């Protein structure tokens, strides 16, 4: 075998061996023995550690990854269960029919995969409850699928406490302007500028001079926001 091919073969074998070692390190039982103290130990002492003798040195860096993965998997499971819980009262045949029809449409190809990705990305498990309620309304025909997708995107980008303030709150009462601005940015409410001429007339009508009236931002719920309030809380 020519020398260059022999070297290439050895390099591939070395890369494959290193790859297997890294994966074994990530999945190793020995990772559970790692402690913050070990991670803070200098490299020369780490290589002498009895706890780590069977773990490749690069495996140490994956201790945090292994813990992170366990946490995120647990968090994802909780979000998935909260989403599915909202659908449990829908008859199985109804759910199956809806999903079959959904998957048969070209424009909603891989809809389930996209939904799972969104659920996995959510930063609060209560958002999964909102999405579950909205999906339930979509299955039973009260909410259009396109509106569901749009609301899912909005929920993903929202601050959960801002969303909670909208419950039965079509007139946006008891919500300060900073929160209203946030809700406007994600697409749940609309923004307009006050009518100065009208406000002057109203002030004069009640005995004022109609002076020093400055324009201000006016917020009101929009169509998609109304659907969120109607279907997202029950």
């Amino acid at each position: 075998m020519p020398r260059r091919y022999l070297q290439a073969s050895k390099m591939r074998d070395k890369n494959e061996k290193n790859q297997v070692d890294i994966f074994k390190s990530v999945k190793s039982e020995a990772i559970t023995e790692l402690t913050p103290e070990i991670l803070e130990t200098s490299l020369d002492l780490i290589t002498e550690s009895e706890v780590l003798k069977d773990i490749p040195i690069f495996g140490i860096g994956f201790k945090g990854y292994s813990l992170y993965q366990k946490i995120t998997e647990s968090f994802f499971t909780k979000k998935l269960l909260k989403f599915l819980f909202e659908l449990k009262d829908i008859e199985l045949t109804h759910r199956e029919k809806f999903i079959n029809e959904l998957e048969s449409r070209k424009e909603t190809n891989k809809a389930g995969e996209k939904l799972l990705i969104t659920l996995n990305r959510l930063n609060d498990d209560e958002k999964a409850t909102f999405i579950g309620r909205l999906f339930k309304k979509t299955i039973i025909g009260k909410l259009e699928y396109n509106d569901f997708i749009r609301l899912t995107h909005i929920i993903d980008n929202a601050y959960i406490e801002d969303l909670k303030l909208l419950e039965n709150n079509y007139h946006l009462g008891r919500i300060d302007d900073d929160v209203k601005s946030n809700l406007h940015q994600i697409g749940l409410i609309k923004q307009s500028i006050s009518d100065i001429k009208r406000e002057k007339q109203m002030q004069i009508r009640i005995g004022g001079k109609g002076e020093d009236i400055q324009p201000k931002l006016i917020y009101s719920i929009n169509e998609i926001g109304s659907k969120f309030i109607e279907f997202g809380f029950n």
Side-chain angles (χ1 to χ4, degrees):
M1 179 182 293
R3 184 176 180 180
R4 65 177 182 275
Y5 292 118
L6 182 60
Q7 290 176 335
S9 178
K10 288 181 178 179
M11 182 64 70
R12 283 196 301 271
D13 291 342
K14 183 178 180 181
N15 289 339
E16 288 175 2
K17 183 178 184 300
N18 288 338
Q19 187 179 42
V20 171
D21 286 342
I22 289 174
F23 288 149
K24 285 183 178 179
S25 297
V26 173
K27 298 182 290 184
S28 173
E29 288 289 335
I31 289 180
T32 61
E33 301 296 326
L34 294 174
T35 64
E37 290 75 19
I38 292 176
L39 293 179
E40 293 171 3
T41 303
S42 61
L43 183 60
D44 57 335
L45 293 178
I46 284 177
T47 57
E48 298 174 4
S49 171
E50 289 296 318
V51 176
L52 305 178
K53 64 181 180 180
D54 295 326
I55 303 177
I57 187 63
F58 290 106
I60 297 170
F62 285 90
K63 189 269 182 181
Y65 169 78
S66 180
L67 178 61
Y68 170 80
Q69 188 169 5
K70 289 179 182 178
I71 293 172
T72 52
E73 285 179 356
S74 175
F75 188 37
F76 174 66
T77 299
K78 188 174 183 180
K79 290 183 289 187
L80 185 58
L81 288 174
K82 284 199 168 188
F83 169 79
L84 294 174
F85 178 81
E86 297 299 324
L87 312 179
K88 66 182 181 66
D89 293 331
I90 305 175
E91 291 185 8
L92 176 60
T93 53
H94 199 161
R95 279 181 271 140
E96 288 178 336
K97 180 181 178 182
F98 175 82
I99 295 301
N100 290 337
E101 291 177 353
L102 185 64
E103 292 180 337
S104 67
R105 304 176 196 169
K106 291 182 179 180
E107 66 271 19
T108 54
N109 189 30
K110 297 184 178 179
E113 180 181 336
K114 293 176 182 178
L115 180 57
L116 280 175
I117 291 172
T118 299
L119 288 171
N120 187 42
R121 192 171 56 226
L122 297 177
N123 59 10
D124 193 295
D125 55 35
E126 290 184 78
K127 290 183 177 182
T129 297
F130 279 125
I131 292 176
R133 291 169 182 164
L134 293 170
F135 197 56
K136 176 181 179 179
K137 299 304 188 298
T138 305
I139 292 175
I140 64 179
K142 290 187 176 182
L143 184 67
E144 292 293 328
Y145 180 73
N146 287 338
D147 287 334
F148 167 74
I149 293 298
R150 185 178 177 188
L151 283 168
T152 297
H153 176 75
I154 288 172
I155 292 168
D156 182 22
N157 289 285
Y159 175 51
I160 187 66
E161 298 303 324
D162 290 352
L163 294 178
K164 291 179 181 179
L165 292 174
L166 291 174
E167 184 173 8
N168 297 319
N169 197 358
Y170 289 92
H171 299 292
L172 307 179
R174 306 177 306 281
I175 300 180
D176 63 43
D177 285 346
D178 287 340
V179 174
K180 289 177 182 177
S181 178
N182 292 338
L183 293 171
H184 169 255
Q185 289 177 21
I186 62 174
L188 286 176
I189 66 178
K190 55 188 176 182
Q191 182 187 80
S192 59
I193 299 177
S194 60
D195 188 335
I196 297 179
K197 182 178 179 180
R198 182 181 178 185
E199 290 192 14
K200 283 183 178 181
Q201 291 174 344
M202 290 181 63
Q203 192 179 97
I204 292 172
R205 193 176 303 162
I206 61 175
K209 295 182 179 181
E211 299 176 349
D212 298 325
I213 296 178
Q214 301 297 322
K216 58 183 179 180
L217 294 175
I218 304 296
Y219 295 96
S220 57
I221 202 74
N222 61 20
E223 183 179 356
I224 197 70
S226 294
K227 291 179 179 179
F228 174 73
I229 294 174
E230 182 178 2
F231 301 127
F233 292 93
N234 55 68

